[in-house]
Amino acid sequence: MAHGSPCRNVNCDVAKSGVCALDNDPIDSCSEYLPDEVALDHGDDENEPLLVVRPVEPKRFLHRSDMFNRSELWSMQKAEATTTVSLIGDVKAGKTTLIAALYSSFCKGPFAGYSFRSSRTLTAFARRHHKALERSDLPLPATDRTSRQDGVGFFHLNVVGQSGPRHLLVADRSGEDFRAARRDTKLVAELWELAMADRICFMLDAGKLSKPETRAGYKRKFKQQIWALLNNGAIPEKAALEIVSTKLDKLAPRPSTEPILDELIAFENTVIEEFKAAGRMVGVSHVCAMPRSNFGVGLIGLEKLFQGWLEPRAVKEIAPLPAVDPLRWVDKMLS
Ligand SMILES: Nc1nc2c(ncn2[C@@H]2O[C@H](COP(=O)(O)OP(=O)(O)O)[C@@H](O)[C@H]2O)c(=O)[nH]1
Ligand SMILES: [Mg+2]
């Protein structure tokens, strides 16, 4: 039998014609017809390429690990229940340093009653932290300036506490964006992340209140920032509001390590009253994330701040209110 032919009879052309030379029909009733043999691999064809079976490697997807942009944010929020915190503050108010300090706290171990589980933005955290600690040519450590071109980015932290695992997203936007929106309220609409924030923190640079020459101007700008956002509908009703006063070390003149808070508290109280008049509650936190003016002061308020951010909030009442004097029976069921 010619190799490759299903028939032992060399005169049979069944492979091509499909007709048995001995007129057997069906073909496999012929005793010479052995189609199965064809299927066998005789292993005598030296030119046949070797079939190499390689183990299938599982695909690995590496995360960029940089700050989330808008589309990455949506996919995260679709997959997990998240708490989003937005930091609002002028240039150099201490937003990025605060974020780096929270990351650095988790690098040391459990923090504020939570343990670190994972982060999808580790590189972004590490870069900010590195910059804050780096022994550079600068006279003092500093974080990279977040610029207007950067837009808004989100840091992600997945931690676990007594209430179970939590996903925290912290928005970091350039102070220049907030400053621009304060001066031209048409730009307020571009601060899109505020609409989805669970908590909005107004970052108050307490260092600016320590100097009589900057105090009055800074207080005015701080309030202007709040009103520009409130009056233009950028602060959602559902968001918890908080004044986060930063750089408390600047209120502790050496050799004292106790910040003098009178001026700060008096100003915070006027802002709280203004919020109250507008029908909004606002909390206050005091922090020192990098005591570079007075190291004796140490870190202040980070644990309490973080716990407040992840505090479970009252679930909103989503049941519809009963209709007044309903006409339809279906509406009467609610009352
Ligand atoms: N003394 C002191 N300086 C701080 C503190 N937090 C931040 N800074 C400094 O303030 C400057 C601006 O901080 P940064 O976090 O970049 O501000 P951002 O523009 O709001 O992100 C940096 O030089 C920081 O080192 C603090 O708690 N104490
Ligand atoms: Mg910044």
Side-chain angles (χ1 to χ4, degrees):
M1 180 176 90
H3 182 58
S5 165
C7 188
R8 266 198 290 240
N9 183 347
V10 288
N11 298 317
C12 181
D13 201 20
V14 67
K16 281 190 192 153
S17 64
V19 179
C20 175
L22 303 176
D23 282 329
N24 285 302
D25 190 14
I27 298 163
D28 48 10
S29 64
C30 175
S31 58
E32 301 298 303
Y33 185 72
L34 292 166
D36 286 353
E37 259 200 58
V38 180
L40 292 176
D41 182 1
H42 299 270
D44 52 2
D45 188 345
E46 286 175 10
N47 297 324
E48 204 172 359
L50 284 175
L51 180 66
V52 181
V53 181
R54 293 199 176 88
V56 179
E57 285 187 21
K59 273 191 181 162
R60 286 175 209 277
F61 295 100
L62 290 176
H63 293 299
R64 235 170 20 104
S65 205
D66 213 334
M67 281 203 283
F68 281 153
N69 56 31
R70 197 168 186 166
S71 63
E72 288 161 321
L73 182 77
W74 294 138
S75 46
M76 170 96 223
Q77 286 180 318
K78 267 188 281 173
E80 309 284 355
T82 57
T83 301
T84 307
V85 176
S86 245
L87 307 183
I88 294 178
D90 215 330
V91 180
K92 295 203 167 186
K95 302 180 288 299
T96 309
T97 306
L98 174 63
I99 293 168
L102 292 176
Y103 161 77
S104 137
S105 303
F106 277 108
C107 288
K108 293 174 200 142
F111 169 73
Y114 291 90
S115 296
F116 177 85
R117 288 184 89 207
S118 66
S119 167
R120 292 268 306 273
T121 57
L122 268 184
T123 310
F125 271 127
R127 220 178 272 137
R128 303 306 183 282
H129 181 48
H130 170 80
K131 197 75 194 166
L133 298 182
E134 183 180 39
R135 280 172 66 93
S136 61
D137 292 336
L138 301 172
L140 284 164
T143 44
D144 258 349
R145 173 123 170 248
T146 322
S147 79
R148 270 208 84 182
Q149 290 98 306
D150 295 342
V152 61
F154 292 79
F155 290 87
H156 167 243
L157 262 183
N158 178 207
V159 294
V160 61
Q162 277 188 339
S163 56
R166 305 291 301 273
H167 288 270
L168 178 70
L169 296 163
V170 185
D172 189 22
R173 181 187 271 283
S174 157
E176 289 168 15
D177 284 350
F178 294 116
R179 189 187 281 173
R182 185 173 76 225
R183 290 176 180 160
D184 177 2
T185 50
K186 283 201 290 298
L187 299 174
V188 169
E190 290 180 14
L191 310 172
W192 57 269
E193 75 279 13
L194 301 182
M196 42 154 279
D198 297 295
R199 175 173 291 265
I200 292 179
C201 297
F202 299 96
M203 309 290 287
L204 172 67
D205 184 344
K208 293 257 168 59
L209 298 189
S210 66
K211 296 183 209 143
E213 65 274 20
T214 54
R215 194 179 290 158
Y218 185 72
K219 285 180 177 175
R220 196 184 60 247
K221 276 192 252 166
F222 185 78
K223 286 186 182 182
Q224 260 175 10
Q225 181 76 75
I226 292 173
W227 289 109
L229 300 177
L230 261 181
N231 292 343
N232 288 282
I235 309 292
E237 286 287 327
K238 65 157 182 98
L241 307 182
E242 183 175 21
I243 300 167
V244 177
S245 299
T246 61
K247 311 190 190 178
L248 278 226
D249 56 316
K250 291 198 173 179
L251 300 186
R254 288 189 224 191
S256 165
T257 53
E258 275 302 308
I260 301 164
L261 299 175
D262 305 350
E263 183 74 38
L264 175 67
I265 291 175
F267 178 61
E268 286 166 349
N269 285 341
T270 66
V271 180
I272 293 170
E273 286 306 315
E274 288 184 19
F275 266 110
K276 209 186 266 174
R280 300 296 302 260
M281 293 284 289
V282 61
V284 176
S285 292
H286 290 169
V287 299
C288 176
M290 190 195 282
R292 55 184 247 186
S293 296
N294 185 348
F295 286 105
V297 173
L299 299 179
I300 296 178
L302 296 181
E303 293 197 49
K304 208 160 149 236
L305 180 83
F306 190 79
Q307 282 162 350
W309 286 3
L310 286 186
E311 215 162 66
R313 299 196 54 210
V315 178
K316 276 205 156 186
E317 185 62 74
I318 52 165
L321 294 173
V324 181
D325 277 340
L327 292 176
R328 301 184 312 170
W329 276 103
V330 66
D331 295 331
K332 286 183 186 175
M333 281 167 68
L334 281 172
S335 44

